Each structure stands twice: as C-alpha cells, then as structure tokens.
Amino acid sequence: MKVYEHFPLKAWNTFSMDVKARYFAEYDTKDELCELLKQFANEKILHIGCGSNLLFLNDYDGVILHSNITGAEKLHETDNEVLLKVGAGVVFDSAISYMLERGWGGAENLSDIPGEVGASAVQNIGAYGVEVKDIIHHVETIERKTLLPRVFGVAECRYGYRDSIFKNELKDEYIVTAVVFRLQKHAELHLDYGNIRQELQHIEHPTISDVRHAVITIRRQKLPAVSEAGSAGSFFKNPIVSVEKFAELQASYPDIPHYESGNGVKVPAAWLIDKSGMKGKKIGGAMVYEKQPLVIVNTGDAVPEDVVKLAEKVQKKIYSEFGIKIEPEVNYIS
Ligand code: EPU
C-alpha cells in the first residue's frame, strides 16, 4: 500500500490535465482498501482506473484511490460457458487478451478501450454493438461506510447506456474489487455494427481473435492514440430523440444516420457535430478532433477551462442548429 501527498495527476488522466491530488493512494488487496477507507473516512474520495473517462477541472482536494488488485480466476466451467473473475485493477484490454487466448468469447468487440476492469463495470463501457453488461455475471464490491463486501448481480447493477447504479443511486458508496464475466466457448460473433463486416470480408470464417483485430484496426483509424493527443475518448453521449423529433430531422437531412433505441431514435453526435461545422474548432489548447468529432483532444497545452468552454460551445451550436441537447459522456471532477 502506498500513500502520496500533493501527487501530480498528469500521467493519471488520459486528457493529460496538469493537476494535483491532495492524496493519492494505491492498494493491492481488499484488506488494504479497507485500511485506506478507515484512514480517509472523512475525506472526499475519488476512485479511478486509468483516468480515461474524466476531466479534472482543478486540483483534487481529497483522496484519489487506485486499485492494484489483479489476477484472473476461473470460477466455473461448463461445455459452453466459463465464469471468470478478474481483479478490478487489471487493464481491461489485457483481460480481453487473456480471455481470447483461451478461446473464451464475448468481450472481443470491446478491444482496445482504455481503462481498467473495475471502471468498466461502473461505466458500462460499450463499442461495436456490445456493452460490458452483456458479459457481466456479477460485480464484487466493498461498501465504503461499513467496509462490508457486497455482490451485485448484473440485474442489480441497473445498467443503461454508459450508466449503472454505481453512477446514480449508489454513487461513491461502493468500490468494485472484482468483476465476474460470463464468457462463451462457442461465441456468436457480433459483426453488424459499423465497418466490422467490411474489415473482415477477406476472411471466410472469422474467429473471435479476428474480430478483435478488426475492432483494433477500426478504432486506431478514428481515435487519437494517447501518445499523439490527450483525450477521454467520446466526449459526448449519442443523444436519443423522440420519434417525432427524428421525423422532423429526417425531413431536413434525409441522409442522417440513426439507430432504433427503445422508444426513441439514437442519432450519432459525431454526425451532428460534423454537420454543424465544429470539426477542428479550437479554444486554447482544446480542439474538436478532425477524424472523429465526438472526441475533444488536448493539443498539448490545454487547461481544463479550454475543454469546458469548447464543450459548451459545441453543445450550444448543436442546440441552435438541430434543437438537440447533447450531454458529456466524460465525468467532470472538481
Ligand atoms: N460521423 C460523421 N462524421 C465524422 C465521424 C463520424 O458524420 O467525422 C458519423 C458516422 O457516419 C457514423 C456516426 O458518426 O454514422 C457514428 O460513428 P461510430 O458509430 O463509429 O461511433 P460513435 O457513435 O461516434 C460510439 C461510442 C464509442 C464506440 C463507437 C463504436 C458513444 C458516446 N461512443 O461512437 O465509444 O467506440 O460507438 O461502437 O457511444 C467511448 O465511449 O469513449 C467511445 C469511443
């Protein structure tokens, strides 16, 4: 267990914001986590993974916790399925490699998403037609107040689009220590989203590893590598509009891409931003990324305020052009 004071966070947020935390603490076991929670019972706490989905607005006047609980353990196996428990501190993409090496499918469409296993279950990460909720069996946690363990079955996690009970009713109350995934030995492939099928057209019988490689290729064409420019992936959520509102939009823009979503229609924010002419627009060091305008990048010297102002400008522009409110997907931390 390690505790640092006045800790620089630049390497701990993929936006590369140059801010500090009053305390930063890492733990290797559940017992160490409980010790830290006792020690810092009266402090403001933020638990992070790789810091890949947050925007620090200023120095953090509290404790940042990071899990080093690693390891993977097979809990159960049948002819078709495997239950695999993975520590919250494992890098999500390494967990996928581990699963695919053993021929266990389900997570391949989520390849190359930055972040750790614990955060994936809070955020319900998703890509290319799959969300992590689709392969979660249950989530193991520790309650902050009582230090007691609690298991949440997947239904209890109340998953939605980039959403869960851990971001709403139970925000900041439980810390994820491990996630148990339900994986398939004869996985059905999900190829219908975006360009996956096209990327795999030269392979007659694609495997789960082929899907992983296709997803990685597609993502790397559109999303900036952290080494190239800091970002937090998609900055905005794709808005869901009413069927009536969509009909109105489609009358003006017959080519508008869309997906059915419950009793509404999901419209890609990237398309709206592109159409609004905001691609490449800058405020200070923050810029709307050219190749994927859903992403805001730090071109090198952005301060949090640049990103906030640029995001507001994009939101206002989309509202005035289309009458649609788009919301950040990134969590603002103050
Ligand atoms: N588009 C444009 N102009 C552009 C770029 C894209 O019009 O310059 C349009 C495309 O035509 C496409 C649409 O935008 O129809 C959407 O693109 P795509 O489906 O590839 O991705 P997305 O909706 O922008 C979502 C997730 C991503 C995830 C991809 C793939 C959200 C907020 N984002 O993005 O997740 O990787 O789908 O499944 O749901 C993340 O959460 O950080 C993230 C990267």
Coordinates of all heavy atoms in Angstrom, one line a residue, residues 267-327:
V267 N -29.2 9.2 -32.4 CA -28.5 9.9 -33.5 C -27.1 10.1 -33.2 O -26.8 10.5 -32.1 CB -29.2 11.3 -33.7 CG1 -28.5 12.1 -34.8 CG2 -30.7 11.2 -34.0
P268 N -26.1 9.8 -34.1 CA -24.7 10.0 -33.7 C -24.3 11.4 -33.5 O -24.5 12.3 -34.4 CB -23.9 9.4 -34.9 CG -24.9 8.8 -35.8 CD -26.3 9.3 -35.5
A269 N -23.8 11.8 -32.3 CA -23.4 13.1 -32.0 C -22.3 13.5 -33.0 O -22.2 14.7 -33.4 CB -22.9 13.2 -30.6
A270 N -21.4 12.6 -33.4 CA -20.3 12.9 -34.3 C -20.9 13.5 -35.6 O -20.3 14.4 -36.2 CB -19.5 11.6 -34.6
W271 N -22.0 12.9 -36.1 CA -22.6 13.4 -37.3 C -23.1 14.8 -37.1 O -22.9 15.7 -38.0 CB -23.7 12.5 -37.8 CG -24.3 12.8 -39.1 CD1 -24.0 12.4 -40.3 CD2 -25.5 13.7 -39.3 NE1 -24.8 12.9 -41.3 CE2 -25.7 13.8 -40.7 CE3 -26.3 14.4 -38.4 CZ2 -26.7 14.5 -41.2 CZ3 -27.3 15.2 -39.0 CH2 -27.5 15.2 -40.4
L272 N -23.8 15.1 -36.0 CA -24.4 16.4 -35.7 C -23.2 17.4 -35.6 O -23.3 18.5 -36.2 CB -25.1 16.4 -34.4 CG -26.4 15.5 -34.3 CD1 -26.8 15.4 -32.8 CD2 -27.5 16.0 -35.1
I273 N -22.1 17.0 -35.0 CA -21.0 18.0 -34.8 C -20.4 18.3 -36.1 O -20.0 19.4 -36.5 CB -20.0 17.5 -33.7 CG1 -20.7 17.2 -32.4 CG2 -18.8 18.4 -33.6 CD1 -19.9 16.5 -31.3
D274 N -20.2 17.2 -36.9 CA -19.6 17.3 -38.2 C -20.5 18.3 -39.1 O -20.0 19.3 -39.6 CB -19.6 15.9 -38.9 CG -18.8 15.9 -40.2 OD1 -18.4 17.0 -40.6 OD2 -18.7 14.8 -40.8
K275 N -21.8 18.1 -39.1 CA -22.7 18.9 -39.9 C -22.7 20.3 -39.4 O -22.9 21.3 -40.2 CB -24.1 18.4 -39.8 CG -24.5 17.4 -40.9 CD -25.0 18.1 -42.1 CE -25.5 17.2 -43.2 NZ -24.6 16.8 -44.2
S276 N -22.5 20.5 -38.1 CA -22.6 21.9 -37.6 C -21.3 22.7 -37.9 O -21.2 23.9 -37.5 CB -22.8 21.8 -36.1 OG -21.5 21.5 -35.4
G277 N -20.3 22.0 -38.5 CA -19.1 22.8 -38.8 C -18.1 23.0 -37.7 O -17.2 23.8 -37.8
M278 N -18.3 22.2 -36.6 CA -17.4 22.4 -35.5 C -16.1 21.6 -35.5 O -15.3 21.8 -34.6 CB -18.2 22.1 -34.2 CG -19.3 23.1 -33.8 SD -18.6 24.7 -33.5 CE -17.8 24.5 -31.9
K279 N -16.0 20.7 -36.5 CA -14.8 19.9 -36.6 C -13.5 20.8 -36.6 O -13.5 21.8 -37.4 CB -14.8 19.1 -37.9 CG -15.0 17.7 -37.8 CD -14.9 17.1 -39.2 CE -15.2 15.7 -39.2 NZ -15.1 15.1 -40.5
G280 N -12.5 20.4 -35.9 CA -11.3 21.2 -35.9 C -11.3 22.5 -35.2 O -10.3 23.2 -35.1
K281 N -12.5 22.9 -34.6 CA -12.5 24.2 -33.9 C -11.7 24.1 -32.6 O -11.7 23.0 -32.0 CB -14.0 24.5 -33.6 CG -14.8 24.9 -34.8 CD -14.5 26.4 -35.2 CE -15.3 26.9 -36.4 NZ -14.9 26.4 -37.7
K282 N -11.1 25.2 -32.2 CA -10.2 25.2 -31.0 C -10.6 26.3 -30.1 O -11.0 27.4 -30.5 CB -8.8 25.5 -31.5 CG -8.1 24.3 -32.1 CD -6.6 24.7 -32.4 CE -5.7 24.5 -31.2 NZ -4.3 24.7 -31.6
I283 N -10.4 26.0 -28.8 CA -10.3 27.1 -27.8 C -9.1 26.8 -26.9 O -8.9 25.7 -26.4 CB -11.6 27.1 -26.9 CG1 -12.8 27.6 -27.7 CG2 -11.4 28.0 -25.7 CD1 -14.1 27.8 -26.9
G284 N -8.2 27.7 -26.9 CA -6.9 27.4 -26.2 C -6.2 26.2 -26.8 O -6.1 26.0 -28.0
G285 N -5.9 25.2 -25.9 CA -5.3 24.0 -26.4 C -6.2 22.9 -26.6 O -5.8 21.7 -26.9
A286 N -7.5 23.1 -26.6 CA -8.5 22.1 -26.8 C -9.1 22.2 -28.2 O -9.3 23.3 -28.7 CB -9.7 22.2 -25.8
M287 N -9.3 21.0 -28.8 CA -9.7 21.0 -30.2 C -10.7 19.9 -30.5 O -10.6 18.8 -29.9 CB -8.5 20.8 -31.1 CG -8.9 20.9 -32.6 SD -7.4 20.8 -33.7 CE -7.1 19.0 -33.7
V288 N -11.7 20.2 -31.3 CA -12.7 19.1 -31.7 C -11.9 18.3 -32.8 O -11.5 18.8 -33.8 CB -14.0 19.7 -32.3 CG1 -14.9 18.6 -32.8 CG2 -14.7 20.6 -31.3
Y289 N -11.7 17.0 -32.5 CA -10.8 16.1 -33.3 C -11.4 16.0 -34.7 O -12.6 15.7 -34.9 CB -10.7 14.8 -32.6 CG -9.6 13.9 -33.1 CD1 -8.3 14.3 -33.1 CD2 -9.9 12.6 -33.5 CE1 -7.3 13.4 -33.6 CE2 -8.9 11.7 -34.0 CZ -7.6 12.2 -34.0 OH -6.6 11.3 -34.4
E290 N -10.5 16.1 -35.7 CA -10.9 16.1 -37.1 C -11.5 14.8 -37.6 O -12.5 14.7 -38.2 CB -9.7 16.5 -38.0 CG -9.2 17.8 -37.8 CD -9.8 18.9 -38.7 OE1 -10.7 18.5 -39.5 OE2 -9.3 20.0 -38.7
K291 N -10.8 13.7 -37.1 CA -11.2 12.4 -37.7 C -12.4 11.8 -37.0 O -13.1 10.9 -37.5 CB -10.0 11.4 -37.5 CG -8.9 11.6 -38.4 CD -7.9 10.4 -38.3 CE -6.5 10.9 -38.0 NZ -5.6 9.9 -37.6
Q292 N -12.7 12.3 -35.8 CA -13.9 11.8 -35.0 C -14.3 12.9 -34.1 O -13.8 13.1 -33.0 CB -13.5 10.5 -34.3 CG -14.6 10.0 -33.3 CD -16.0 10.0 -33.8 OE1 -16.6 11.0 -34.2 NE2 -16.6 8.8 -33.8
P293 N -15.2 13.8 -34.6 CA -15.6 15.0 -33.9 C -16.3 14.8 -32.5 O -16.6 15.7 -31.8 CB -16.4 15.8 -34.9 CG -16.9 14.8 -35.9 CD -15.9 13.7 -35.9
L294 N -16.6 13.5 -32.2 CA -17.2 13.2 -30.9 C -16.1 13.3 -29.8 O -16.4 13.4 -28.6 CB -17.7 11.8 -31.0 CG -18.6 11.3 -29.9 CD1 -19.8 12.2 -29.6 CD2 -19.1 9.9 -30.2
V295 N -14.9 13.4 -30.3 CA -13.7 13.5 -29.3 C -13.2 14.9 -29.3 O -13.0 15.6 -30.3 CB -12.6 12.5 -29.9 CG1 -11.4 12.6 -29.0 CG2 -13.1 11.1 -30.0
I296 N -12.9 15.3 -28.0 CA -12.2 16.6 -27.8 C -10.8 16.2 -27.4 O -10.6 15.4 -26.6 CB -12.8 17.5 -26.8 CG1 -14.2 18.0 -27.3 CG2 -11.9 18.7 -26.4 CD1 -14.9 18.9 -26.3
V297 N -9.8 16.8 -28.1 CA -8.4 16.5 -27.8 C -7.6 17.6 -27.1 O -8.0 18.8 -27.4 CB -7.6 16.0 -29.0 CG1 -8.0 14.7 -29.5 CG2 -7.6 17.0 -30.1
N298 N -6.6 17.3 -26.4 CA -5.7 18.3 -25.8 C -4.5 18.3 -26.8 O -3.8 17.4 -26.9 CB -5.3 17.8 -24.4 CG -4.2 18.6 -23.8 OD1 -3.7 19.6 -24.4 ND2 -3.8 18.3 -22.6
T299 N -4.4 19.4 -27.5 CA -3.3 19.5 -28.5 C -1.9 19.7 -27.8 O -0.9 19.8 -28.5 CB -3.6 20.6 -29.5 OG1 -3.6 21.9 -28.7 CG2 -4.9 20.5 -30.2
G300 N -1.9 19.8 -26.5 CA -0.6 19.9 -25.9 C -0.6 20.7 -24.6 O -0.1 20.3 -23.6
D301 N -1.2 21.9 -24.7 CA -1.2 22.8 -23.5 C -2.6 23.2 -23.0 O -2.7 24.3 -22.5 CB -0.3 24.0 -23.9 CG -0.9 24.7 -25.1 OD1 -1.8 24.2 -25.7 OD2 -0.3 25.8 -25.5
A302 N -3.5 22.3 -23.2 CA -4.9 22.7 -22.8 C -5.0 22.7 -21.3 O -4.4 21.9 -20.6 CB -5.9 21.7 -23.4
V303 N -5.8 23.7 -20.8 CA -6.1 23.7 -19.4 C -7.6 23.3 -19.3 O -8.3 23.4 -20.3 CB -5.9 25.1 -18.7 CG1 -4.4 25.4 -18.7 CG2 -6.7 26.2 -19.5
P304 N -8.1 22.8 -18.1 CA -9.4 22.3 -18.1 C -10.5 23.3 -18.6 O -11.4 22.9 -19.3 CB -9.6 22.1 -16.5 CG -8.3 21.8 -16.0 CD -7.3 22.6 -16.8
E305 N -10.3 24.6 -18.3 CA -11.2 25.6 -18.8 C -11.4 25.6 -20.3 O -12.5 25.8 -20.8 CB -10.8 26.9 -18.3 CG -11.9 27.8 -17.8 CD -11.5 29.2 -17.6 OE1 -10.3 29.5 -17.6 OE2 -12.4 30.0 -17.3
D306 N -10.3 25.3 -21.0 CA -10.4 25.3 -22.5 C -11.4 24.2 -22.9 O -12.2 24.4 -23.8 CB -9.0 25.0 -23.1 CG -7.9 26.0 -22.9 OD1 -8.3 27.1 -22.5 OD2 -6.7 25.6 -22.9
V307 N -11.2 23.0 -22.3 CA -12.1 21.9 -22.7 C -13.5 22.2 -22.3 O -14.4 22.0 -23.2 CB -11.6 20.6 -22.0 CG1 -12.4 19.4 -22.4 CG2 -10.1 20.3 -22.3
V308 N -13.7 22.7 -21.2 CA -15.1 23.0 -20.7 C -15.8 24.0 -21.7 O -16.9 23.9 -22.1 CB -15.1 23.6 -19.3 CG1 -16.5 24.1 -18.8 CG2 -14.6 22.5 -18.3
K309 N -15.0 25.1 -22.0 CA -15.6 26.1 -22.9 C -15.9 25.6 -24.3 O -16.9 25.9 -24.9 CB -14.6 27.3 -23.0 CG -14.6 28.2 -21.8 CD -13.8 29.5 -22.1 CE -13.7 30.4 -21.0 NZ -12.5 31.2 -21.0
L310 N -14.9 24.8 -24.8 CA -15.2 24.2 -26.1 C -16.4 23.3 -26.1 O -17.2 23.3 -27.0 CB -13.9 23.5 -26.6 CG -13.9 22.9 -28.0 CD1 -14.1 24.0 -29.0 CD2 -12.6 22.2 -28.3
A311 N -16.5 22.5 -25.1 CA -17.6 21.6 -25.0 C -18.9 22.4 -24.9 O -19.9 22.0 -25.6 CB -17.5 20.7 -23.7
E312 N -18.9 23.5 -24.2 CA -20.2 24.3 -24.1 C -20.5 24.9 -25.5 O -21.7 24.9 -25.9 CB -20.0 25.4 -23.1 CG -20.2 24.9 -21.7 CD -19.8 26.0 -20.6 OE1 -19.5 27.2 -21.0 OE2 -19.8 25.6 -19.5
K313 N -19.4 25.3 -26.2 CA -19.7 25.9 -27.5 C -20.3 24.8 -28.4 O -21.2 25.2 -29.2 CB -18.3 26.4 -28.0 CG -18.4 27.3 -29.2 CD -17.1 28.0 -29.5 CE -17.2 28.7 -30.8 NZ -15.9 29.4 -31.2
V314 N -19.8 23.6 -28.4 CA -20.3 22.6 -29.2 C -21.8 22.3 -28.9 O -22.7 22.3 -29.7 CB -19.5 21.3 -29.1 CG1 -20.2 20.1 -29.8 CG2 -18.1 21.4 -29.6
Q315 N -22.0 22.2 -27.5 CA -23.4 21.9 -27.1 C -24.4 23.0 -27.6 O -25.5 22.7 -28.1 CB -23.5 21.9 -25.6 CG -22.9 20.6 -25.0 CD -22.8 20.6 -23.5 OE1 -22.2 21.5 -22.9 NE2 -23.5 19.7 -22.8
K316 N -23.9 24.3 -27.5 CA -24.8 25.4 -27.9 C -25.1 25.4 -29.4 O -26.2 25.6 -29.8 CB -24.2 26.7 -27.5 CG -24.4 27.1 -26.1 CD -24.0 28.5 -25.8 CE -24.0 28.7 -24.3 NZ -22.9 29.6 -23.8
K317 N -24.0 25.1 -30.1 CA -24.1 25.0 -31.6 C -25.1 23.9 -32.0 O -26.0 24.2 -32.9 CB -22.7 24.8 -32.2 CG -22.6 24.8 -33.6 CD -22.5 26.2 -34.2 CE -22.3 26.1 -35.7 NZ -22.7 27.2 -36.5
I318 N -25.0 22.8 -31.4 CA -25.9 21.7 -31.8 C -27.3 22.0 -31.4 O -28.2 21.7 -32.1 CB -25.4 20.3 -31.1 CG1 -24.0 19.9 -31.5 CG2 -26.4 19.2 -31.3 CD1 -23.8 19.8 -32.9
Y319 N -27.5 22.7 -30.3 CA -28.8 23.0 -29.8 C -29.4 24.1 -30.8 O -30.6 23.9 -31.2 CB -28.8 23.6 -28.4 CG -30.2 23.7 -27.9 CD1 -31.0 22.6 -27.7 CD2 -30.8 25.0 -27.7 CE1 -32.3 22.7 -27.2 CE2 -32.1 25.1 -27.3 CZ -32.9 24.0 -27.0 OH -34.2 24.1 -26.6
S320 N -28.6 25.0 -31.2 CA -29.2 26.1 -32.1 C -29.4 25.5 -33.5 O -30.4 25.9 -34.1 CB -28.3 27.3 -32.1 OG -27.1 27.1 -32.8
E321 N -28.6 24.6 -34.0 CA -28.8 24.1 -35.3 C -29.9 23.1 -35.4 O -30.6 23.0 -36.4 CB -27.5 23.4 -35.8 CG -26.3 24.3 -35.9 CD -26.1 24.9 -37.3 OE1 -26.3 24.1 -38.3 OE2 -25.8 26.1 -37.5
F322 N -29.9 22.2 -34.4 CA -30.8 21.0 -34.5 C -31.9 20.9 -33.4 O -32.7 20.0 -33.4 CB -30.0 19.7 -34.5 CG -28.9 19.6 -35.5 CD1 -27.6 19.9 -35.2 CD2 -29.2 19.2 -36.8 CE1 -26.6 19.8 -36.1 CE2 -28.2 19.2 -37.8 CZ -26.9 19.4 -37.4
G323 N -31.8 21.8 -32.4 CA -32.7 21.7 -31.3 C -32.5 20.5 -30.4 O -33.4 19.9 -29.8
I324 N -31.3 19.9 -30.4 CA -31.0 18.7 -29.6 C -29.9 19.1 -28.6 O -28.9 19.7 -28.8 CB -30.4 17.6 -30.6 CG1 -31.4 17.2 -31.6 CG2 -29.9 16.4 -29.7 CD1 -30.9 16.2 -32.6
K325 N -30.2 18.6 -27.3 CA -29.2 18.8 -26.3 C -28.3 17.6 -26.2 O -28.8 16.4 -26.0 CB -30.0 18.9 -24.9 CG -30.7 20.3 -24.8 CD -31.1 20.5 -23.4 CE -31.7 21.9 -23.3 NZ -32.8 22.1 -22.4
I326 N -27.0 17.8 -26.4 CA -26.1 16.7 -26.2 C -25.4 16.9 -24.9 O -25.1 18.0 -24.4 CB -25.1 16.5 -27.4 CG1 -24.3 17.8 -27.6 CG2 -25.7 16.1 -28.6 CD1 -23.1 17.6 -28.6
E327 N -25.2 15.7 -24.2 CA -24.6 15.7 -22.8 C -23.2 15.1 -22.9 O -23.0 14.1 -23.6 CB -25.5 14.9 -21.9 CG -26.9 15.4 -21.7 CD -27.0 16.8 -21.1 OE1 -26.0 17.1 -20.4 OE2 -27.9 17.5 -21.3

